Amino acid sequence: MKNIKDKTALVTGGSKGIGAAVGLQLVKKKIGHLILVARPSKAFKDTIALIEASCGPNQKVTAIRADLADSKRTARIAQSLLADGVNIDILVNNAGFTAPKSIFEASFEELQQTMQVNLYAPFLLIQILLQGGNNFSHIFNIASTAGIKGRAGWATYSSSKAALTAMSEALREELLPLGTRVTCLSPGRCATDLRKVLAPDEDPTQIMQPEHVADVMTTLMGDVGHFIDSENIVVRL
Amino acid sequence: MYTLVLLNGGLGVRVGASMPKQLLRLKGVPIFIYPLRIADEIDEITSVVMNFPKGWKDKIETIVKQYAIQTPISYVDPGKTRQASVHQMLDLVETKYTLVHEAARPLISQKDFRQLIEHKADNVTQTQAVPFTVLQKAPGKEQQIGGVLNRASLLNIQLPQKFKTATLKSAHEQAAAAGDTFTEDASAVFSYGDKVSYVTGSERNFKITAKLDVDLAEFLAGRLD
């Protein structure tokens, strides 16, 4: 992996699961500034404390408490970073929402909220930062194998992740000539809180752990990643 | 410090598109944005002077804003000829050195500009080898060959170029006064007695002239250099 001590990374959905794991990995790899975005919670507080305890003297962690289901709040995050002169080198769009229900039960509002967190928030963060002059070196969009094949009860979630995968493909082409890599990862079954909502009866110890996905991401941040990330990457145990 | 004089006023009729070729898109991004993004990455380039195809100024200014180009840009009306355009654009150049480039060469890299900036000579042009055999026409004799040119002794003049601004301005003043016409600026600077050095540039930095060139540039834009 390249030297990231002068780099800034922003990870959404940073309180738990894959977001927290990748945040910790980046700090261990000596990132200069880590910004985690998540809704306020005890878990977020604990994660920040854990990551801060791993920080060296020239490393900084910033917590932004925000709900990405609110598009105005999402836009304000990007606008504040620009106003503060912070350049995001690595963006990890990891925050995810799901309310798995059949088409008979799901509400339009749930579809909107799923799209808002899983698709519109990444779009807004990337667009506002780009239009404000931010130079990304690497954008990760965390999609899902659920976006490759829909499953009964997951219409809202699967469609949002399929859209995120397709958006990543378009952005990969658009931004490569401008010097930004766009990597789309689609984890399969991974022991996160979101997975518990999707599959409440599953034993989380028997499936892929968030740290495994974080390992894949830090590997992809190296030059070798160029040879791998030309397509959506499935990560599964 | 350097000003980038970016020739962006052409209509590109040979490409046969419904809009000037520099507004066509490679990988979704307008062609003229590519050199501006590269200029943004080079600290020595502190300003840009750019012209625009007649009637397209508002569109171009909007796109420049959307793509968050940071280097300050001055816009100049297109001149009647390429030479007249550069002459007009030079009026707004205040830096000691000028880089001349054209929007129709979108695949320029930082390295191409750096090669000129770091060169010790005041006036430097990018070149390529002449990839074909050239013969001279016999003057006054219809369809007769009159001589052989050794291509190894010839240069295919490319952009970008670097000039000491005062030298380039003086060449344009002299050309205007004498009514001389030049198709590019190294010829003008050389013709009025100044030295011009040359370097070999990157082949990726080719000029989009025809439809086929747009397709090739689109392909190359999707590959890392």
Side-chain angles (χ1 to χ4, degrees):
Chain A
M1 177 166 181
K2 287 177 194 167
N3 185 346
I4 54 169
K5 71 180 174 55
D6 298 324
K7 305 287 186 194
T8 297
L10 185 148
V11 181
T12 68
S15 61
K16 296 172 286 188
I18 294 169
V22 77
L24 189 58
Q25 277 267 15
L26 287 169
V27 162
K28 286 181 178 168
K29 303 275 183 192
K30 306 290 176 211
I31 190 121
H33 187 189
L34 173 69
I35 302 169
L36 293 178
V37 179
R39 286 174 292 175
S41 68
K42 179 168 184 312
F44 193 23
K45 215 172 158 181
D46 293 346
T47 295
I48 292 293
L50 174 74
I51 292 178
E52 277 178 339
S54 301
C55 276
N58 297 314
Q59 290 181 284
K60 188 166 91 169
V61 179
T62 303
I64 297 178
R65 290 166 185 84
D67 186 352
L68 300 187
D70 177 348
S71 61
K72 285 185 182 148
R73 179 71 184 99
T74 305
R76 278 208 308 278
I77 293 172
Q79 286 152 357
S80 307
L81 291 166
L82 291 168
D84 294 343
V86 177
N87 188 76
I88 304 300
D89 301 290
I90 301 164
L91 172 65
V92 182
N93 285 306
N94 165 71
F97 174 79
T98 188
K101 289 176 186 175
S102 78
I103 190 75
F104 292 94
E105 299 166 64
S107 70
F108 184 63
E109 286 69 28
E110 283 164 343
L111 172 65
Q112 281 181 313
Q113 187 175 354
T114 308
M115 286 292 181
Q116 185 64 52
V117 176
N118 298 358
L119 182 70
Y120 303 163
F123 179 92
L124 277 175
L125 288 173
I126 295 169
Q127 185 186 55
I128 294 171
L129 288 171
L130 279 175
Q131 290 183 337
N134 189 88
N135 278 314
F136 293 108
S137 61
H138 207 150
I139 296 169
F140 282 92
N141 290 330
I142 308 302
S144 167
T145 50
I148 300 169
K149 189 171 188 324
R151 286 179 59 179
W154 296 4
T156 54
Y157 185 66
S158 285
S159 54
S160 74
K161 291 298 188 179
L164 181 64
T165 302
M167 186 176 86
S168 304
E169 286 166 357
L171 296 186
R172 183 186 300 123
E173 282 204 3
E174 283 180 23
L175 300 181
L176 175 77
L178 305 180
T180 299
R181 281 174 64 195
V182 178
T183 302
C184 184
L185 287 190
S186 287
R189 298 183 303 154
C190 183
T192 62
D193 280 7
L194 187 140
R195 180 71 195 174
K196 282 183 205 157
V197 178
L198 286 172
D201 300 331
E202 194 173 60
D203 178 357
T205 64
Q206 297 302 306
I207 59 176
M208 183 168 66
Q209 301 301 304
E211 293 71 24
H212 297 142
V213 181
D215 282 342
V216 172
M217 289 171 69
T218 49
T219 301
L220 287 167
M221 284 177 201
D223 283 337
V224 69
H226 279 298
F227 300 100
I228 303 167
D229 68 1
S230 62
E231 300 287 344
N232 174 34
I233 297 169
V234 172
V235 186
R236 60 157 62 105
L237 192 62
Chain B
M1 291 298 114
Y2 290 74
T3 297
L4 172 63
V5 164
L6 188 65
L7 287 155
N8 183 52
L11 290 168
V13 285
R14 277 177 286 178
V15 170
S18 59
M19 63 180 76
K21 65 182 171 189
Q22 57 273 40
L23 280 111
L24 297 177
R25 287 158 194 269
L26 303 179
K27 298 295 173 193
V29 176
I31 283 174
F32 77 93
I33 288 295
Y34 282 77
L36 292 173
R37 293 277 303 203
I38 296 291
D40 263 3
E41 292 168 9
I42 298 178
D43 291 344
E44 290 89 339
I45 300 177
T46 52
S47 54
V48 174
V49 178
M50 183 167 96
N51 60 1
F52 51 84
K54 204 162 180 246
W56 289 89
K57 189 182 180 207
D58 290 349
K59 179 75 179 165
I60 283 174
E61 281 187 307
T62 302
I63 295 173
V64 162
K65 206 171 162 195
Q66 285 169 329
Y67 281 82
I69 302 302
Q70 309 287 303
T71 315
I73 299 177
S74 304
Y75 294 93
V76 178
D77 287 325
K80 283 201 173 116
T81 62
R82 180 196 187 281
Q83 185 173 323
S85 289
V86 175
H87 196 175
Q88 281 168 227
M89 290 158 89
L90 282 172
D91 285 345
L92 298 181
V93 178
E94 291 171 352
T95 49
K96 186 176 176 188
Y97 287 99
T98 299
L99 291 166
V100 179
H101 191 59
E102 54 198 342
R105 295 175 185 267
L107 299 182
I108 186 165
S109 65
Q110 269 202 55
K111 203 172 144 194
D112 290 309
F113 280 134
R114 291 232 158 270
Q115 193 180 25
L116 302 181
I117 289 170
E118 287 161 13
H119 199 289
K120 62 183 190 304
D122 280 339
N123 307 310
V124 190
T125 182
Q126 195 178 88
T127 64
Q128 288 287 325
V130 176
F132 41 78
T133 301
V134 277
L135 299 177
Q136 278 182 311
K137 294 177 184 173
K141 293 182 184 172
E142 202 177 328
Q143 296 190 334
Q144 287 286 304
I145 299 299
V148 178
L149 292 172
N150 175 9
R151 71 179 176 189
S153 71
L154 300 172
L155 290 168
N156 178 1
I157 300 300
Q158 306 284 313
L159 296 180
Q161 298 171 331
K162 172 181 92 170
F163 299 102
K164 198 171 179 180
T165 303
T167 304
L168 185 58
K169 283 185 178 178
S170 165
H172 274 272
E173 294 301 331
Q174 291 179 72
D180 293 339
T181 304
F182 298 96
T183 53
E184 57 79 39
D185 296 282
S187 311
V189 167
F190 173 78
S191 295
Y192 299 119
D194 281 281
K195 282 186 185 162
V196 182
S197 300
Y198 68 88
V199 291
T200 304
S202 143
E203 282 184 292
R204 271 174 71 97
N205 179 33
F206 68 96
K207 181 171 181 172
I208 293 178
T209 307
K211 173 74 178 70
L212 185 67
D213 300 326
V214 179
D215 295 342
L216 178 61
E218 167 86 5
F219 173 76
L220 291 174
R223 297 167 67 99
L224 292 172
D225 192 0

